[in-house]
Structure formats: structure tokens, C-alpha cells
Amino acid sequence: MPVKLRITLLFCLISFVILAMVCATVYYFSYTQRSHNIRTRLTNRAITLARLLGQSQLFDQQLIRKIDSSTSLTLKDKTFQAYDYLNNQIYSYSDAPADTLTIDTSVLDDARVKGTIFFKTDNKEAVAYHYANPNTRIVVITAAYDAEGKAQIRVLRNILWFSFLAGIMIACVGGYFFSDRLLQPIKKIADDINEISAHNLARRIGTGTAKDEWFYLAETLNRLMNRLQDSFETQRRFVSNASHELSTPLTAISSQLEVSLQKNRDAQQYRGVMESVYQDVRHLSKLTQTLLEFAQASGDPGGINLLPVRMDEILMSLPAEMKKSNPEYLVNLSFDDMPAEEEKLIVFGNAELLFTAIKNIVTNACKYSDDHKATIKLKAEADVITIAISDKGKGIPQGELKYIFQPFYRVNSTSHQSGFGLGLSLANRIIKLHKGNITVSSVIGSGSEFVITVPTAKF
Ligand code: ADP
């Protein structure tokens, strides 16, 4: 069922319940008030009549009837009757002479016991009142049709029905327009979103001026769009940079082969070309390997095999690994702050990825410093492990620090060194994958320090 219809129905239902309750309450109290009024008037009349009849020496029945007929009491079809203690009718008066009441003796007995009782007879409301004094004991019945009260109740009932039905109709129509107005911003947001595609990712949803929930929704979607646009942009830059990096050695290989195939060469020349091509192929293979690692680290963390890993063990394998890649590279390990508990050194993660991340940073420290020396300090605290990798190299200009973690970014002054500009970006992704962080501080001419923090495994 459409939301618009649902809101309208809910609106109608709430209005129905409220209106029904109000109308029913008004009707109930008016109805009971009318009953109460007629009873009071009939009781008063019964008391007066009983007193007059009790003084028969002063008022004869003829006189009392005259009083009854000329009373200003606005009661219709009045009938008054009185019975002595033997249930003999001693007095009777009615507006229409033929209009008499047939009173059951049980009513009279009941009145004698209770004093005053109310009952209905032939569409009339009636009161039986027991009057007793030392000379007489009589029961007076006063009955009348409450034409005025019932007419008022009928008018009130019609007014209430009219208000109820009109109220429901207004609620339904109002609910429809209200829900339409309420949902209009959603339609607008959906229309705006429909117009956004990969070609116009910079387009945003109109937020309007009112700071309401729709504004918040549009703002949230716009923030999501910002993130998507950033990620699209990064992806696009990455693909274009990767293609460029891949095409450079391929172009070099193809032109070298093309030139050497133009005429016959001696064995020495072929060997030279082959060696050069071999260098380019190695470069290509290294690049594709790095790109593969990059893809792995960029994927869903759920797809990566995570196990408890001892960080000190990973660090200990680095000096030999660095030496293997370049005999000049020297790594100095400093484990001064080793914790007593072994758990504080364990991270829940992927050992190979963590090794790659740290190795990339250590390689940079050795590669970009004249002494080719890197110092690694390990510090284990209650919840995090901190690894600081420092060198005494040429340093990184302050303005470039924020870019060095972007894929393919290389600082100009170091472009003579081999590299793809992917090492730090890959390291950053891996550490982020392990819910950690990398910060860098550097002083030109003095060196750089990269600090990795990763949360320890919770056992
Ligand atoms: P690369 O393959 O170029 O080393 P990275 O992503 O590892 O790529 O590093 C990006 C750039 O950051 C490098 O080109 C280099 O200019 C700079 N850089 C990284 N680490 C250091 C360091 N320890 N000292 C000086 N410059 C560094």
C-alpha cells in the first residue's frame, strides 16, 4: 500500500477515534442530564402533591386537580395518581382524561420500602413517592412524557452526527493533502537522485531551506555522494596512473625490439637488447605484483584470512629481508619497552599483509637516506601496539606530507630513485584494514619518522 494512502488512512482512523469518543461522551452526559432533570421535576411534583393530599382538611381533591391542571410545569401528558396504604386509588389527575396509568402493586410496595423509585411506563417517565405522616401514608405516582428534553436530545444527536461525519470527511481530505505535502520532498529527492549518474557525479540533491528531517536526509545523501565521487575519482586516477605505469615499460620494450629488428645485429647487440628488455619485464612484473597486493588490500576485509599475529616476530624478520633486497640496507631493532604479557604483542590480522606494510615503510627509510639505515622501535600498551620507523634521510617537504599516501604519488626530489609511488598507499590501506593508523613527521635534511598504531587482539 502506498505510504501516501497509509498516512491518509492513519489520519482518518485517529480522527475517527477522537471524534467518536468526543461525540459519545457529549451524548452520554446530555442524556443522563436529561433523565436526571425529569426525575427531579417529577419527584418535586410528587412531594408537593403528597403534602397537599396529606392535608385533606385544607385542600379538597377538586382544588388539588385545579392546581395540577394549572401548574406551569412544562411537562406533557402529565398523569398523577395517589394510593392509600391499602393500595386503593385515592386521587387521580391526567391532562387527557382517558389517560390513566395501570400501576402494579409491586411498584407501590417497592416505593414504600425505598421511599422514592423511578420507572418507565408507556413511553412516560414516572416516579413513585412514599409519603407518611402520623395521619396518613400514601404513595404518589407522577408520570409525564419529557417532550422538551427528548426533543433537545434529538437535536443534539443530529448535531453530533453531522459534526462526526463532517469531521471524518475533513480529516480524510485533509489527511490526503497533508500526506501529499509531507511526501513531496521525498519525491523531489528521488527525482534528483534519478538524474545523478556516473557522468554527472558532481550533481547534488536540493536540500531546501527548512532545517527538518528531509533536510537531514538530503544532507546525508549528499555526503554519501561526496564520498562516492571521491572514491570514483580515486579509482579513475588509479586506473589512469596504473595504465600509464604499465604502458611505459611496454612502449620501451616494443620500441627496443622494433629498432633491433630493423636490420641484422651481432650477438653482442642482441644480448644488450635482451638485457634491457629483461630489466623492463622485471619492472613490469614487480609493478603487477604490487598492483595485485594493492587489490588484495583494497578488498573486503571479510575475504582476508585473519589470525592472531605476533608483531615482534614480524619485525624480527625484517633486517634479513632488507639485507636480501639490498646488502647496503641496515635495520636497527629497538625493543626496549617489551611488555611482560605476551598478549600485548598480538594483533588480530593477516601476517603477510602486515609484513608488506611495514616492509614498504622500512624500505623507504633505507632507500631515501644516504646511510641506508632504518630504526624500528616497538612499544606495546594495553590496547595498542606502536611501531615507529625512523631514518636520518633527506626528509619530506611539509607541503607534500598530505599527498604521499595517495597512489602513484612521488616526491619530485626523489624521482631519480626507482619506485612506483604505491608503497605508502598500500601500507596505509593495509593498516586501515587492521583498524590502525599511520602518521608521519619529517624534517628536511634531518630525516623522517613514520608511526604505525594497531589495536591489539582482544582475548
Ligand atoms: P615509492 O615507490 O616512490 O617509494 P611510496 O608510496 O613508498 O612510493 O612513497 C611515496 C613518496 O614518499 C616517495 O616517492 C618519496 O618521495 C616519499 N617518501 C616516502 N618515505 C620517505 C622517507 N622515509 N624519506 C623521504 N621520502 C620518503
Side-chain angles (χ1 to χ4, degrees):
M1 198 197 290
V3 176
K4 194 159 143 183
L5 191 62
R6 260 192 277 169
I7 294 178
T8 309
L9 283 181
L10 193 70
F11 207 77
C12 290
L13 188 73
I14 292 172
S15 309
F16 178 89
V17 172
I18 294 174
L19 279 172
M21 272 166 61
V22 170
C23 291
T25 313
V26 169
Y27 185 76
Y28 173 76
F29 282 110
S30 304
Y31 190 85
T32 46
Q33 190 58 38
R34 184 204 66 80
S35 290
H36 180 74
N37 279 349
I38 186 71
R39 283 173 186 192
T40 312
R41 288 158 77 191
L42 288 173
T43 309
N44 288 341
R45 192 72 201 91
I47 294 169
T48 313
L49 181 58
R51 280 184 191 153
L52 291 176
L53 288 170
Q55 299 176 48
S56 49
Q57 66 283 14
L58 284 178
F59 305 100
D60 69 356
Q61 292 210 352
Q62 209 55 32
L63 178 62
I64 297 171
R65 256 183 223 105
K66 225 175 192 92
I67 295 170
D68 279 340
S69 65
S70 57
T71 180
S72 66
L73 207 66
T74 54
L75 292 172
K76 210 177 158 222
D77 297 342
K78 302 187 287 289
T79 308
F80 303 149
Q81 289 171 191
Y83 295 84
D84 65 8
Y85 68 100
L86 292 170
N87 292 348
N88 295 321
Q89 195 180 69
I90 54 163
Y91 173 81
S92 125
Y93 166 82
S94 63
D95 283 350
D99 190 10
T100 49
L101 296 175
T102 325
I103 301 298
D104 204 67
T105 51
S106 63
V107 172
L108 301 174
D109 292 341
D110 213 12
R112 284 184 190 108
V113 175
K114 292 179 183 156
T116 309
I117 61 161
F118 306 101
F119 61 98
K120 275 195 173 177
T121 165
D122 308 334
N123 182 23
K124 287 182 186 177
E125 263 131 315
V127 167
Y129 173 69
H130 179 231
Y131 176 77
N133 69 14
N135 306 322
T136 178
R137 278 193 294 135
I138 56 172
V139 173
V140 175
I141 310 284
T142 51
Y145 179 67
D146 185 16
E148 195 185 318
K150 285 196 172 163
Q152 278 174 0
I153 285 291
R154 253 195 317 276
V155 171
L156 178 74
R157 195 170 51 210
N158 290 344
I159 292 174
L160 289 176
W161 265 117
F162 176 76
S163 315
F164 178 72
L165 294 175
I168 293 291
M169 257 166 63
I170 292 171
C172 288
V173 175
Y176 182 80
F177 283 108
F178 166 76
S179 60
D180 188 59
R181 226 182 121 65
L182 189 78
L183 296 175
Q184 240 167 30
I186 281 232
K187 204 176 155 304
K188 206 179 149 305
I189 289 174
D191 288 346
D192 281 357
I193 289 178
N194 273 338
E195 283 180 21
I196 300 173
S197 69
H199 305 295
N200 60 351
L201 264 182
R203 241 194 107 137
R204 291 291 174 269
I205 302 163
T207 50
T209 45
K211 298 269 181 290
D212 52 12
E213 281 78 2
W214 301 133
F215 174 88
Y216 180 68
L217 176 66
E219 275 275 295
T220 311
L221 287 171
N222 278 343
R223 277 201 295 274
L224 172 73
M225 290 303 303
N226 288 347
R227 288 199 295 275
L228 280 178
Q229 192 187 1
D230 281 354
S231 140
F232 256 80
E233 203 46 44
T234 315
Q235 207 79 357
R236 199 188 54 75
R237 236 178 300 128
F238 186 86
V239 171
S240 115
N241 284 331
S243 325
H244 176 75
E245 289 294 324
L246 286 168
S247 72
T248 310
L250 281 174
T251 315
I253 292 170
S254 119
S255 29
Q256 284 174 84
L257 293 176
E258 201 181 326
V259 170
S260 58
L261 284 173
Q262 275 168 2
K263 56 177 184 180
N264 283 336
R265 316 263 172 193
D266 59 34
Q268 192 55 40
Q269 280 172 323
Y270 280 128
R271 191 180 171 82
V273 171
M274 279 171 78
E275 266 170 11
S276 171
V277 168
Y278 176 62
Q279 286 304 324
D280 286 335
V281 169
R282 270 177 54 114
H283 180 81
L284 261 180
S285 136
K286 219 165 144 197
L287 178 60
T288 41
Q289 181 59 37
T290 317
L291 285 175
L292 270 176
E293 284 174 349
F294 208 89
Q296 195 189 359
S298 309
D300 170 21
I304 295 168
N305 200 11
L306 299 175
L307 290 168
V309 179
R310 273 192 69 145
M311 285 310 275
D312 56 335
E313 281 176 8
I314 291 188
L315 297 182
M316 273 187 296
S317 63
L318 274 166
E321 181 69 25
M322 288 292 109
K323 216 148 216 99
K324 213 162 76 188
S325 71
N326 188 332
E328 284 185 39
Y329 289 177
L330 206 76
V331 177
N332 200 349
L333 288 178
S334 156
F335 290 173
D336 296 341
D337 292 328
M338 281 298 267
E341 306 92 337
E342 185 184 280
E343 296 87 66
K344 285 190 177 173
L345 291 166
I346 296 177
V347 162
F348 198 65
N350 182 294
E352 276 171 39
L353 287 178
L354 283 170
F355 177 76
T356 306
I358 300 167
K359 190 187 84 182
N360 285 354
I361 296 175
V362 175
T363 307
N364 282 349
C366 297
K367 188 160 81 175
Y368 299 114
S369 53
D370 294 335
D371 59 358
H372 304 301
K373 239 165 88 174
T375 305
I376 304 178
K377 283 194 180 125
L378 174 75
K379 195 166 149 205
E381 282 157 320
D383 296 324
V384 286
I385 294 178
T386 309
I387 299 157
I389 299 149
S390 56
D391 63 67
K392 294 199 172 61
K394 48 175 73 84
I396 307 163
Q398 284 300 314
E400 310 221 30
L401 284 177
K402 55 177 179 291
Y403 301 120
I404 56 172
F405 292 101
Q406 286 180 7
F408 296 104
Y409 189 85
R410 306 201 68 209
V411 178
N412 257 342
S413 57
T414 60
S415 55
H416 58 280
Q417 297 271 13
S418 69
F420 307 117
L422 285 173
L424 283 182
S425 167
L426 177 59
N428 197 29
R429 280 187 188 214
I430 293 173
I431 297 302
K432 287 261 145 65
L433 213 65
H434 288 82
K435 301 190 174 61
N437 196 28
I438 306 181
T439 55
V440 55
S441 57
S442 187
V443 179
I444 291 289
S446 304
S448 314
E449 185 179 52
F450 287 78
V451 178
I452 303 172
T453 47
V454 265
T456 47
K458 301 265 176 298
F459 292 100

